[in-house]
């Protein structure tokens, strides 16, 4: 009896340790390729792992934020998948490169042409986005993952700071600080331009006296030639008068 109880207790303890050591299930996430700076453009990857051992992921729907709409959204072609972009009219138009944008992408849907993401694999879906907003530190993209057995998993719960991660967290893109010089020239560029302008002005100022001196020399040279010619003419005339006398 004691042996059986000890064995049962050991099994229970082992199960508890195993349960604690099992990592949390992977979920749909989003990460930039490089940086995602405020006010700029970025390529972001939506990473989709397959969490089932008896079904494949055959569809992914990603909803784009409407509180911070993105004027430019371009999915990169993914072999074996068809991408569909959905646009809606904006309540408030955006301005981009001097043009007003009245609609923005609200959803991108990827549908598998073949087997999709099979058990034990994951797939990345790259998207070029911009311009990124400057009045927020993150963007939330709610996603819906559909399996070949018709199961649907909704990754739509927004993580809250200071709280535990929800069971089905939505993908969150963290934005970095705006890059220097994004809005026109930076202060260093302006200083360099100012120095260049001063140097050009100095060259111009130095060139002006040289031009004046050159002009004066030319005038004096012409006057000298004229005076010399007159002197020669006077000498010739004076010689003739002496000869005649």
């Amino acid at each position: 009896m004691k042996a059986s109880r000890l064995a049962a207790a050991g099994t229970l303890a082992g199960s508890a340790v195993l349960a604690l050591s099992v990592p949390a299930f992977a979920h749909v996430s989003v990460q930039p390729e490089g940086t995602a700076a405020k006010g700029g453009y970025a390529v972001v990857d939506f990473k989709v792992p397959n969490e089932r051992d008896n079904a494949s992921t055959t569809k992914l729907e990603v909803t784009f934020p409407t509180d911070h709409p993105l004027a430019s959204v371009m999915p990169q072609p993914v072999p074996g998948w068809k991408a569909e972009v959905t646009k809606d009219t904006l309540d408030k138009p955006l301005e981009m490169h001097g043009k007003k944008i009245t609609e923005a992408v609200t959803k991108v849907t990827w549908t598998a042409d073949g087997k999709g993401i099979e058990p034990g694999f994951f797939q990345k879906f790259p998207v070029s986005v911009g311009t990124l907003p400057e009045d927020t530190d993150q963007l939330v993209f709610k996603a819906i993952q559909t399996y070949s057995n018709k199961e649907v998993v909704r990754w739509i719960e927004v993580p809250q700071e200071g709280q535990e991660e929800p069971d089905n967290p939505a993908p969150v893109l963290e934005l970095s600080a705006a890059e220097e010089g994004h809005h026109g020239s930076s202060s260093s560029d302006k200083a360099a331009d100012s120095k260049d302008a001063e140097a050009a002005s100095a060259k111009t100022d130095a060139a002006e006296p040289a031009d004046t001196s050159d002009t004066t020399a030319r005038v004096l040279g012409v006057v000298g030639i004229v005076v010399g010619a007159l002197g020669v003419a006077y000498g010739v005339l004076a010689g003739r008068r002496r000869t005649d006398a």
Side-chain angles (χ1 to χ4, degrees):
M1 289 294 292
K2 290 183 179 180
S4 61
R5 287 180 181 177
L6 289 173
T11 302
L12 182 61
S15 300
V17 172
L18 181 62
L20 291 174
S21 63
V22 173
F25 287 112
H27 52 269
V28 177
S29 60
V30 59
Q31 290 292 333
E33 294 183 5
T35 60
K38 298 177 182 180
Y41 286 78
V43 174
V44 299
D45 294 330
F46 290 96
K47 182 180 178 181
V48 184
N50 187 38
E51 298 180 324
R52 303 294 180 264
D53 56 6
N54 59 351
S56 298
T57 297
T58 56
K59 187 178 181 180
L60 174 68
E61 300 172 73
V62 176
T63 300
F64 283 68
T66 56
D67 55 341
H68 294 96
L70 301 173
S72 175
V73 176
M74 294 184 291
Q76 179 178 317
V78 177
W81 293 81
K82 178 183 177 182
E84 181 182 355
V85 179
T86 302
K87 293 183 178 181
D88 283 331
T89 302
L90 297 173
D91 296 333
K92 184 179 179 181
L94 298 174
E95 191 165 331
M96 182 177 178
H97 302 305
K99 296 181 180 179
K100 284 188 176 181
I101 307 297
T102 58
E103 62 179 12
V105 172
T106 54
K107 184 169 67 173
V108 177
T109 303
W110 289 270
T111 306
D113 290 335
K115 296 181 180 180
I117 308 172
E118 298 184 84
F121 292 88
F122 73 92
Q123 178 67 56
K124 287 183 179 181
F125 298 90
V127 183
S128 173
V129 295
T131 55
L132 297 173
E134 299 183 65
D135 56 350
T136 184
D137 294 327
Q138 63 181 23
L139 293 176
V140 178
F141 300 86
K142 297 183 178 181
I144 299 177
Q145 183 178 10
T146 303
Y147 288 90
S148 56
N149 59 1
K150 307 303 180 183
E151 180 187 0
V152 176
V153 181
R154 301 178 183 275
W155 306 100
I156 61 174
E157 299 178 61
V158 181
Q160 301 296 327
E161 187 176 356
Q163 299 183 10
E164 293 184 0
E165 185 179 70
D167 293 334
N168 296 92
V172 177
L173 177 65
E174 300 293 340
L175 304 181
S176 59
E179 296 179 356
E180 185 180 0
H182 170 67
H183 297 291
S185 300
S186 64
S187 57
S188 59
D189 292 337
K190 291 179 180 179
D193 292 341
S194 177
K195 289 182 179 179
D196 291 342
E198 290 177 2
S201 177
K203 288 181 180 179
T204 302
D205 294 341
E208 286 179 355
D211 292 341
T212 304
S213 300
D214 186 59
T215 302
T216 303
R218 290 180 181 178
V219 171
L220 292 175
V222 171
V223 171
I225 293 173
V226 172
V227 171
L230 291 175
V232 172
Y234 178 78
V236 171
L237 292 175
R240 288 182 178 178
R241 287 178 180 175
R242 290 177 182 176
T243 303
D244 293 339

